[in-house]
Amino acid sequence: LGRLVVSFLIATTVFFLIFTLADTVSYLNYQNTANQNRFIQNALDEFSRNAENISCDDAALRSSLVELDHVGSYIGLLERRFGLRDSRVLAEKKLYTRLQFQHLLIIKEINTRCDSRFEPIIFLYSNDPDYIDASQFMGGILGAFKERDSATFMVYSFDVSIGDSTASSLVQRYNVTSVPSVVLKEREILRPSNINELVRYFS
C-alpha cells in the first residue's frame, strides 16, 4: 500500500510539473505573440509613413512578410492551447487581422507603383462549428499552394466569426455569400477543393 501511495504521489507530482511547464510555455508564447504584434504594428506604421520613399526592391517588404507568417503561426498555437474562443486569443487575432489588412493595402500600393507582381490571396473563413472543417481543409490547400512560390503568392486569412469589422467589410466588399471562400485578383471568388484548381487559375 505504501508503494502504491508513493507511486501515486510521484505520478501526481510529475503530472503537475508537466502541466505547469506546458502552461508556462503557452503563456510565454502568448507574451511573445503580443510583442511580435507590437513589433509588426510599429514596422507597418513606419512602412506606411515612408511609403513614398520605399524602394521597389526594399528588403523591408520581404521581412514584413516573414514576420506576419511568424505571428500567424503563434496565433495558431494560441488557438490550440487556449481554445478558439478564448478572450486573449480573440484579442490578438483581431489585432492580427488589422495587421494583415494594412499589409494587404501596402502590397496593392507596391504593385501599382513598382509594377510588381505580388499575388495577394484573400482567404475568408470561419471557425464556427458548421464551417470549421471546410475552413481548415481549404486553409491547408492554400498553405500548400503558397509554398510552391512564397515569393509571389501571399495568403491573407480573415476569420469572419470573431466579430471584427475589418473581416466583415471584406465580406461585403467582395460580395462573399458563403465561407470558406477565396478572393483572387480583387474580383474572382473561388472555393478550391484541391491545389490544382489554384494552379490552373494562375497558369
Side-chain angles (χ1 to χ4, degrees), residues 52-122:
E52 294 297 327
N53 301 319
I54 293 231
S55 167
C56 290
D57 60 350
D58 201 295
L61 180 61
R62 303 280 182 189
S63 176
S64 66
L65 284 170
V66 173
E67 293 297 337
L68 281 174
D69 285 343
H70 182 60
V71 177
S73 297
Y74 274 113
I75 294 293
L77 183 148
L78 290 178
E79 287 182 326
R80 292 190 295 273
R81 177 61 184 90
F82 296 112
L84 298 174
R85 295 303 174 209
D86 184 271
S87 60
R88 295 165 295 181
V89 176
L90 293 179
E92 299 297 340
K93 200 168 184 179
K94 287 180 179 180
L95 177 57
Y96 183 54
T97 293
R98 295 185 180 100
L99 293 177
Q100 287 190 103
F101 184 68
Q102 288 182 32
H103 200 276
L104 175 62
L105 295 180
I106 290 170
I107 287 295
K108 290 180 181 179
E109 175 66 20
I110 292 296
N111 274 345
T112 299
R113 187 191 318 153
C114 303
D115 196 28
S116 300
R117 300 188 181 277
F118 294 111
E119 286 286 358
I121 297 174
I122 300 173

Side-chain angles (χ1 to χ4, degrees), residues 21-73:
L21 178 62
D23 194 61
T24 300
V25 170
S26 294
Y27 178 75
L28 290 175
N29 282 329
Y30 170 76
Q31 289 297 104
N32 189 47
T33 299
N35 292 334
Q36 287 286 343
N37 274 340
R38 284 192 292 271
F39 170 77
I40 296 176
Q41 180 69 70
N42 292 337
L44 287 175
D45 286 345
E46 185 70 18
F47 194 53
S48 298
R49 284 193 295 269
N50 298 317
E52 294 297 327
N53 301 319
I54 293 231
S55 167
C56 290
D57 60 350
D58 201 295
L61 180 61
R62 303 280 182 189
S63 176
S64 66
L65 284 170
V66 173
E67 293 297 337
L68 281 174
D69 285 343
H70 182 60
V71 177
S73 297

Side-chain angles (χ1 to χ4, degrees), residues 1-18:
L1 179 61
R3 287 196 297 270
L4 289 176
V5 171
V6 171
S7 297
F8 174 77
L9 291 175
I10 292 174
T12 302
T13 302
V14 171
F15 174 80
F16 176 77
L17 289 174
I18 292 175

